[in-house]
Every structure is written in structure tokens, then in C-alpha cells.
Amino acid sequence: MLTRRQMLLGAAGGWLTRRSMAQAPAETLESLPGKAQLIRRAGRPPNYETPLAGLVPAFTANRDFFVRYHLAVIPELDPRTWSLEIGGASARRPYRISLTQLRRDFEPAELTAVNQCSGNRRGLFAPRVPGVQWGNGAMGNARWRGARLRDVLHRADLAPEALEVWCDGADGPVIPTTPDFVKSLPLERALDESTLIAYEMNGAPLPHLNGAPARLVVPGWTGTYWMKHLTQLRVEPTACESFWMKSAYRVPAGAFKGSRFASQDNPDTVPITDILVNSLITSHVDGARVRADAGESLAGKAWDNGAGIDVVEYSVDGRRSWRAAQLGRDLGRFGWREFAVSLRDVPRGAVEVAVRARSRDGSQQPEKLTVNPAGYHDNRVQSVRLEIA
Amino acid sequence: MSVPRALPLLALCIAAPLRAAEPPPLREGPGREVTQTNCAVCHSVEYIPMNAPAMDRVGWQKSVQKMRERFGAPLSEADAQVVLDYLSVNYAGKGG
């Protein structure tokens, strides 16, 4: 987790690293064009996560929003010449559309949603697993505006046998032997009214490193489906065979709750789909000193797959008894929910405060990690140790 | 994006519009040059130290195999051995 000291060090602009808490990876802050200082996990392709301070506001600023790429060739697309191709064997009227047309021809839809990388918190896994070693910041909450994918697909007159929508973006591999990043969605999810082709994020055009000029927004599902720099949609009667569907982004069958993606299932593994219920304390880091009478609150965010947060609870007695935290404004079922606990209500001295969220679908953050080879879905209950005077 | 087969590697590297600082160099040791050359084609070499805590020799063996078989890393068998030995000595931090 990021400390204020690191923020200051980072702001000085140097190449600075520091080992943080025992299990967390080393952290380097760096600023890319159009971005604030983010925690660098890899420079090429760019993989940068949001420092804790960036996750404090209700909406994660575009300049603070995390950056995640698999492949290192990332063209900057000119919005005036960019176009999106809609086709495939199950599209009876394939067509191509410009950004101006996308904005003009389809009724804009707007919603707030958490975008969370499938591998968020992989770096906290024990035992450790390979992959980008993310901490807590491969996620953010934003207001997305765009056309409904459903409307764009319907214009192509879909055939009844349509099964999946295969999605491609402009970013690509350095050498052609590396599989291009192509993902698919089951038709019913593609036709869900909340799935968007977004061209705006928090009221501004998408930043380049978050998928300009248009990207998919698949609220409730992990970031892997949110194709950036979208260039092609293919409606197909068969399952997409991309490496990134068949081999990557999969979890052991039956291990986690989530929407079925039946055309991509196999006996051992299934594609990752829904975000699991989770929470993050954003107001304090481990070891913080607090004055009880200063009127401070312990605060953070809770989110899930769109079922909606039912309750956030906290414990100050070693996770034996739990009390409800106060919930903030409802930003919509796909957005995160802010919570707060007045520190006046917490005993003085050395206190460990644990927080857990429960979803309206009944699922609750677990105490134990469900270990899986790719390091997904760490939604364990977290806590901070405070020194309350 | 599908990449035209004949595009020279260098042109593609330049196409990536990024101003990230160079990552710290890999540790000194036999095999460092071969590793640096072969493992920085598609991504920066910092993928190596980043993953060290998750790796032992078997882990690196699987990883190098994945780079070759799944991602098409153009590595000769001999170079793959050199890389594996280098990584196992310098970046196997699992359990440690």
C-alpha cells in the first residue's frame, strides 16, 4: 500500500523505489503522458496501478485511473479517422461506423461502474503466483458514457444462430507469433442494456491509455472484457478460439460464483466473469496514528458484480463481532459504495479494524483466499492496524 | 490488431508511444546478455524481477516454455537453457 511519504517522494520526480510491507512488491511511481504519478508494475507494455490516494474520491480521476496492457504496440488513434467494423458470420448487414456516427446515431447511455482488472491484488497472493504483481490499485470507479452495444449490434441484423461477439482492439503484439488480444462476450451479455461502447469517461473523452477513442464497458464483469481501442466486433455462431479466451483468464470450474459463459466452458476451467463482492479501506494505511477526538472516520469503498452492496460491516475485536458501517450515496448498482466508520466508536489503543462487505445476492467477503493458478479474485477481508490516542 | 507478417521488428517497437523510463538492468551473472536480448523483445525485462517472488526453477522452466510455445518467443533451445540457468540462479525467490 502507498504511503504519503511515497507520494511526496514520487512527486519529486525521480526513479524511486522502496520495499513496503513484507509481502507487497517494490513500488515505483512514474507519470505517463496524460497521467498522474502511478505505481509502475511494468513500463512496456504499460502496466500502472492507482496509488491508494487516487482511490479516495468517489470517482477515480481519469489521470489517476489504472493502465493495463498485454501487448506493447499501442497506436494512438486519430478520432477523426477511427472507425469500428461490425460484422461476422451472424451479422446479416455488416457495416462500419465513425466516431461521429457512433455519437450521433445511437441514443447515449451513461452509468457509473467499477472497472477492476481480473488480477487486481495478485501480488498479495500467498503462495505467490506469476503474472503482473498488482496491489490494490488495478481498479477504479468512473462514469462511462457511450452507445449501447445492443443498439449497435441490432443495426447489423443478427441471425438467430448468433452465439458470441468477438471483440478486437487496435493494440497488438510486437511480433506476429504472439496471439493478438481478442476477447469474446456471450450474446446475452453483449445485448444487456448496461453493456456500452464508451467514448467518454467522467465527462471527458477517454484518455489514450484507457482505450481512446472508444472501448467496451461491461459493468459487473472484470476488466479483461472491457476491450480498449475497439476496432472490430464480429457476431459469430461459434466460440472464439483466441488464446486470451481458451487459455488465459480462466478459473477452476466451480471455484467461484459468477455468470455462466457456457460456450467457453470446459470440464476443468471456465472463463472468469463477475467481479466478486469486495471492499477496500482508503482512509488509513496500516500503522496509522489517529486522535479519537479529531472527528476522523475510517472510510473506503465496497463493490460487487452489480447485485448491489447490502451492508458493510466492521470488527474491532479480532473479527469476532461485527457492526454495520455507514453507507454513502448509491452511485448505481455497478458503481462502488462508499462506507465510513466514526473512529469515536472505536476503543482507544492499538486496534485492528477489519472490514467486510456483503452483496444483495447474499455473498460475503471470505476470510480465506481461494487459491487459483492465475491469481484472480482475491476478495479476502482486509484490515488496518491503528494506534488510537 | 493483426500484424502484417513482414513488418520489421524495429518499426513495430518504435510504434509504441511510450515514455516510460528504462527499467533497472538485470543482475550481473552468466547468461545475463542472452536473457536481456531474448526476454526484452515483447515486454520490458522488469517482468523478470517482478515475478521472482513467485518463481523457482520449475516455475521459470514453465514460464520460458510458455513464452516460446504460447507467445512465440523466437528462442533457440540452447539459449532457452542459458536463460533458464540464469533465471534460476538470480531470480528464484519463491518461498524465500
Side-chain angles (χ1 to χ4, degrees), chain A residues 15 30 32-33 40-48 72 74 128-131 133 168-171 174 177-180 243 247, chain B residues 1-3 9 12-13 15-24 40-44 46-47 50-51 53-55 70-72 74:
Chain A
W15 175 270
E30 193 177 32
L32 294 175
R40 171 171 165 156
R41 297 295 171 206
R44 179 174 59 88
N47 284 289
Y48 290 77
I74 307 168
R128 299 283 289 270
V129 295
Q133 299 295 305
D168 195 5
D171 43 325
V174 175
T177 46
T178 306
D180 189 17
F243 167 85
S247 301
Chain B
M1 187 187 74
S2 56
V3 179
L9 211 146
L12 280 166
C13 290
L18 256 181
R19 274 162 270 170
E22 275 304 308
V41 177
C42 307
H43 49 69
S44 47
E46 62 204 304
Y47 273 74
M50 174 168 68
N51 279 282
M55 295 300 203
R70 301 309 196 98
F71 294 143

Side-chain angles (χ1 to χ4, degrees), chain A residues 280-284 295-302 312-314 323-329 337-346 353 355:
Chain A
L280 179 70
I281 297 165
T282 55
S283 59
H284 294 79
E296 268 184 64
S297 292
L298 182 96
K301 323 287 182 207
V312 176
E313 295 171 312
Y314 70 98
R323 294 172 64 181
Q326 225 174 4
L327 291 185
R329 193 155 58 97
R337 194 81 189 259
E338 296 189 291
F339 66 83
V341 175
S342 168
L343 288 174
R344 261 189 249 279
D345 305 341
V346 168
V353 188
V355 169

Side-chain angles (χ1 to χ4, degrees), chain A residues 210-261:
Chain A
N210 296 108
R215 75 174 304 168
L216 285 184
V217 166
V218 188
W221 283 29
T222 63
T224 183
Y225 297 99
W226 299 41
M227 182 64 68
K228 299 186 295 301
H229 313 293
L230 191 65
T231 52
Q232 190 187 51
L233 295 167
R234 285 171 56 183
V235 190
E236 297 288 345
T238 54
C240 177
E241 298 284 329
S242 156
F243 167 85
W244 303 100
M245 293 304 301
K246 290 287 168 201
S247 301
Y249 290 106
R250 301 185 69 89
V251 292
F256 300 102
K257 197 177 164 106
S259 307
R260 280 289 300 283
F261 189 165

